[in-house]
DNA sequence: ACCCTAGCAATACGTTCGTATCGAATCGAT
DNA sequence: ATCGATTCGATACGAACGTATTGCTAGGGT
């Protein structure tokens, strides 16, 4: 994972990249500023990542891996995992806001960078599938959410979470409001009886 | 509104800004490149906007105003307006993808720029209120959506639209899939009985 | 003892950047 | 006809940029 001395150095640098992105977008990321933020020399940054683009891309990959690792470290209870996977992107702490800012910076870049778009797409799809799985496992109504329905429900819930995250990021919704609405929607999806889409 | 010769020049320049942003993010926006894209001199760009930040901000304001104008020009039928306001952000044509890219570029910048965040927040809130109004006006079920409920429903629908737009932008959902799901959710919210999508 | 390589730090180079400035048109009001 | 303001085009300047290059050092295999 992240064990060799070299990897530790890379990690320090990548953290500095995140700080810069959260503070002012990807355009803030330059070798000199990253080195400054990390408290290392420009040469070190350049040695480990070669080009600016490679640095930005590596920081994106690491962000996704880290989110994945954090999710894996959660308790196994589907109930709890479901809450986490849906709510974790909605900023209500500085830490969460930080993550959401960085994520959206990459999201914006993905419009012009296919490689980053691919990374984000893979991550999103994985999240969606995991939500669907959790909905089935933790199903409040075992009979309600079958294969097809659970994927649709997962897609809807994830979209709501992403959409609300945007609202919180630009500051016209509080984190608490967004979480409240999202949890209500989760309850609706898992308990209501409509949704009948199989003959 | 946009009639004086000077305004026309400004508009040409702003269009060039949009093209650059859609093609590679806000970091692509420089006086020289904008001038090049618009086919005018650097001096002209500088004269009309002064600084780079002012140029970027003006292009943001104009984007929001344009979207608003386009909405106002729609037929008055609430049914149609509702569909447009929810679907227009989901890219399924090159034109729509263009708009979504630019919007998300500004969204990303808003994490670090309060002025832009304010503009986007105001626009989003206005959209939400308009959706709530349309839900009441066009209500398939008059009894279902009252004041409180319609705002909640509007917030949810708008979040779904925004979340799905993200998925389409990064390329792991097609515009058609996203539109299909969103329309299904709209149907559910408005009446939940007619749902008729089982083959 | 030898050398090879990874891991830097320092610096240099050419480019591009934002912006200031300068001068020439053009134009509207007088 | 005159004159101040607007609207530029052209150019210049210092800062910051990405990256190539150079040289040093510490360790590991032989």
């Amino acid at each position: 994972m992240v064990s060799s001395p070299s990897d530790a150095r890379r990690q320090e640098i990548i953290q500095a990249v995140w700080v810069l992105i959260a503070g002012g977008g990807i355009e803030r990321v330059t070798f000199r500023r990253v080195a400054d933020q990390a408290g290392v020399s420009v040469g070190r940054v350049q040695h480990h990542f070669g080009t600016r683009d490679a640095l930005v891309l590596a920081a994106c990959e690491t962000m996704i891996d880290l989110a994945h690792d954090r999710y894996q470290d959660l308790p196994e209870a589907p109930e709890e995992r479901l809450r986490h996977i849906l709510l974790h992107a909605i900023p209500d702490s500085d830490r969460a806001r930080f993550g959401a800012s960085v994520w959206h910076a990459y999201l914006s870049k993905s419009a012009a960078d296919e490689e980053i778009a691919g990374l984000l797409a893979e991550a999103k799809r994985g999240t969606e599938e995991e939500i669907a799985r959790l909905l089935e496992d933790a199903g409040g109504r075992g009979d309600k959410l079958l294969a097809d329905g659970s994927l649709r429900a997962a897609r809807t819930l994830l979209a709501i979470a992403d959409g609300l995250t945007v609202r919180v990021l630009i500051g016209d919704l509080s984190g608490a409001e967004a979480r409240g609405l999202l949890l209500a929607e989760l309850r609706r999806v898992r308990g209501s009886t409509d949704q009948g889409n199989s003959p």
Side-chain angles (χ1 to χ4, degrees), chain A:
Chain A
M1 309 198 193
V2 191
S3 50
S4 92
S6 170
D7 281 348
R9 302 275 152 73
R10 286 173 59 97
Q11 188 56 40
E12 283 177 19
I13 294 169
I14 282 178
Q15 291 221 21
V17 172
W18 292 340
V19 170
L20 289 172
I21 291 179
I26 292 182
E27 53 182 310
R28 281 272 169 87
V29 177
T30 71
F31 276 137
R32 287 164 178 84
R33 270 201 278 250
V34 169
D36 220 50
Q37 174 71 37
V40 303
S41 73
V42 177
R44 180 127 111 192
V45 180
Q46 195 180 7
H47 171 72
H48 282 285
F49 298 95
T51 71
R52 177 189 185 266
D53 282 354
L55 173 60
V56 170
L57 184 62
C60 180
E61 290 168 348
T62 304
M63 170 188 70
I64 291 173
D65 289 348
L66 181 66
H68 188 256
D69 289 351
R70 273 222 261 267
Y71 176 76
Q72 297 291 6
D73 286 347
L74 245 49
E76 282 193 11
E79 204 43 68
E80 195 166 341
R81 290 194 162 213
L82 194 48
R83 252 179 243 272
H84 175 271
I85 205 171
L86 282 173
L87 292 177
H88 92 281
I90 297 184
D92 69 341
S93 63
D94 284 349
R95 162 96 131 4
R97 182 170 191 89
F98 180 90
S101 294
V102 177
W103 172 270
H104 271 81
Y106 278 115
L107 178 58
S108 159
K109 185 162 183 67
S110 81
D113 184 326
E114 300 232 348
E115 202 160 6
I116 287 179
L119 287 176
L120 300 191
E122 190 188 359
K124 268 292 170 221
R125 191 150 26 214
T127 300
E128 177 180 282
E129 286 164 5
E130 179 65 16
I131 293 176
R133 220 171 298 132
L134 289 172
L135 282 175
E136 291 171 11
D137 286 2
R141 286 280 212 275
D143 49 322
K144 276 292 114 86
L145 294 170
L146 303 173
D148 245 31
S150 70
L151 189 66
R152 222 192 86 153
R155 185 162 292 177
T156 304
L157 284 171
L158 183 55
I160 294 175
D162 287 342
L164 290 177
T165 297
V166 169
R167 301 287 299 274
V168 176
L169 259 188
I170 60 180
D172 75 326
L173 241 55
S174 72
E177 283 175 300
R179 282 167 182 253
L181 180 53
L182 182 53
L183 286 176
E185 288 298 314
L186 175 59
R187 252 178 273 123
R188 180 187 60 73
V189 164
R190 297 181 57 194
S192 82
T193 62
D194 50 21
Q195 254 354 19
N197 51 356
S198 23

